[in-house]
Amino acid sequence: MTELHLWLRHEARTTERRTPIVPDDARRLVDDGVTLTVEESPQRVFPIGEYEAAGCPVAPAGSWVSAPRDAVVLGLKELPEDPAELTHRHIFFGHAYKGQPGAGDLLRRFAAGGGTLFDLEYLVDDTGRRLAAFGYWAGYLGAALAVLQHRGRLRAPLVPTTKEDLDETLRPAPGDAAFTGLVIGALGRSGRGARTAFAAAGADPTCWDLAETRDLDRGALLRHDVMVNAVLATSPVPPFLREQDLDSPDRRLRTLCDVTCDVGSPLNVLPVYDDTTDWDEPVRRLRKEPPLDLIAIDNLPSLLPLESSTDFSAALLPHLLDFGVTGPWGHCLDRFRQATREHGLDKGEFHDH
């Protein structure tokens, strides 16, 4: 078998401080015979020196475009717009299989270059359970920001922090009014994280999951002050909120956080907004009177880059050590091929190496 060469790229998004492989796990890869080239990055939470100390060759930021053809390029979020042709195998969250904006363009780049996308969202076992995810921290941060906004203590722009400091900020202060919270998707990873944040804020949220969403009681939903959506829909379902619900005279809901951020997708369960928010402007007002504030940030775990990277890396490491085109990686490859067929791109040449 050819020795695996992984290429850890710098993240193009300036607010992305996470990494899929932390230095301690990089050392384990190197000790196992993997070549792990690490690009320099001005924002990655771990300094490049820690990767060098682990035995990793260092390359300039963005140099993956000229990496050896057999290198597997590893990242988290979106690629830069160039090059137009993607020739490598890439591992990252592509967000290209649910009809999201730009999905077809990304797949065409792979088709043009003969490269392959191993989308981390589809790294699953034979039962469909995801094997490496940031969901817990996304849910925790989504609920934390929603609580802080509801209490009037959310400050922009957002800056990365630690869980210890954020928990301290969440503790109820004198004069804080009680509120009712709702977590939808409460039994999943994101839902568990959201419940942890609510608990740190001194709140005991209502918890809904599949049983409660099969026949959704929108009236009950609207009677909560703060709602966190942590549902990752895999097939179309009736929306949890509609435009007419926001104008209901019975709406008590004041703060809405959409952790999932499926905006633009036909699977979106909250089709009441058309664009995400960001670190500079984390909140958008959907209604003025009575107020309804939206938080919809699609890289929430990057606000806790150390904790979220460490957890994700530990989950991903054993699968990188067993990288190939079968097992969980085979599921990624199958989903990529299906998506290219759906876009009429299957006549291109894709290289599984």
Side-chain angles (χ1 to χ4, degrees), residues 12 79-86 109:
L79 295 170
E81 293 183 1
D82 293 320
E85 299 182 0
L86 297 171
R109 292 171 69 189

Side-chain angles (χ1 to χ4, degrees), residues 22-178:
V22 303
D24 284 347
D25 292 333
R27 185 181 301 278
R28 293 184 60 186
L29 286 165
V30 171
D31 289 346
D32 203 65
V34 175
T35 298
L36 176 60
T37 299
V38 180
E39 291 187 0
E40 297 170 327
S41 175
Q43 71 239 20
R44 189 185 294 126
V45 65
F46 295 96
I48 194 66
E50 294 189 23
Y51 290 96
E52 287 185 286
C56 301
V58 173
S63 57
W64 60 267
V65 297
S66 56
R69 180 65 180 272
D70 64 352
V72 181
V73 182
L74 176 62
L76 287 176
K77 300 299 285 186
E78 67 274 1
L79 295 170
E81 293 183 1
D82 293 320
E85 299 182 0
L86 297 171
T87 61
H88 294 90
R89 291 168 292 174
H90 282 261
I91 300 172
F92 70 105
F93 290 99
H95 303 300
Y97 300 159
K98 298 179 183 176
Q100 297 100 321
D105 292 338
L106 177 62
L107 291 172
R108 277 188 286 274
R109 292 171 69 189
F110 278 106
T116 307
L117 169 61
F118 291 85
D119 193 314
L120 285 164
E121 186 176 330
Y122 298 86
L123 186 69
V124 298
D125 64 17
D126 290 340
T127 69
R129 181 180 65 89
R130 290 180 63 183
L131 298 173
F134 286 99
Y136 176 87
W137 294 107
Y140 171 86
L141 282 153
L145 298 184
V147 169
L148 292 175
Q149 173 64 18
H150 192 72
R151 287 175 171 166
R153 295 210 293 269
L154 187 63
R155 299 291 176 259
L158 303 178
V159 295
T161 184
T162 66
K163 183 176 184 297
E164 182 180 13
D165 288 346
L166 189 51
D167 278 348
E168 181 64 32
T169 306
L170 284 173
R171 289 194 178 95
D176 282 341

